[in-house]
Amino acid sequence: MSSIEHAADRGDKKELRKEHPSGWLYLTQHDAIPILVDALLDLPPNREFNKTEFADHAGVTRQTVGNYTDLLIEVELIEEVPDTSPRRYRVTDSTVVRELFELNSALNSAGRE
């Protein structure tokens, strides 16, 4: 198989991955998501925040947070705090969040053993 065929095959596979993304790719295909997730990992448990507070904590604009709030809710990283005005959020107590914290812990300790 020629290098062109290999390149075409890789390109096709890449496009197929984009068309049918894993949960990880679905989440991280957005530029600001890694920064927002990193900021969520740094919040104390049960800490409530509004979009402005979260933007300040993450070092991004409020608009950036606003652009991705629905996605963060959809993938169960954050949830709306009921009966709050202005709307407040918190890190969700979900399997996704628990696994994310576990992955982060494993990555932070990799190579230290």
Side-chain angles (χ1 to χ4, degrees):
M1 190 178 283
S2 73
S3 60
I4 293 174
E5 290 170 328
H6 279 289
D9 187 42
R10 279 192 306 270
D12 290 344
K13 287 178 184 177
K14 183 177 178 181
E15 287 308 311
L16 279 173
R17 287 188 181 279
K18 288 180 177 180
E19 290 173 20
H20 307 284
S22 64
W24 177 252
L25 185 58
Y26 176 72
L27 180 63
T28 59
Q29 68 185 337
H30 308 280
D31 293 341
I33 289 294
I35 295 295
L36 296 176
V37 170
D38 190 66
L40 290 173
L41 289 167
D42 192 38
L43 287 173
N46 300 315
R47 166 77 193 285
E48 292 182 13
F49 51 87
N50 63 30
K51 290 178 183 177
T52 300
E53 292 166 339
F54 185 45
D56 289 345
H57 179 71
V60 299
T61 65
R62 185 184 183 292
Q63 180 179 356
T64 297
V65 170
N67 288 343
Y68 297 108
T69 299
D70 289 342
L71 176 62
L72 295 173
I73 291 170
E74 176 187 340
V75 298
E76 299 179 355
L77 290 177
I78 65 171
E79 63 187 359
E80 292 181 353
V81 176
D83 304 319
T84 56
S85 181
R87 176 66 58 206
R88 296 189 68 74
Y89 305 87
R90 65 179 160 233
V91 176
T92 306
D93 182 17
S94 68
T95 301
V96 173
V97 169
R98 288 188 293 278
E99 295 290 336
L100 182 61
F101 273 93
E102 190 171 316
L103 173 62
N104 189 54
S105 179
L107 290 170
N108 284 336
S109 65
R112 294 183 188 172
E113 299 173 2

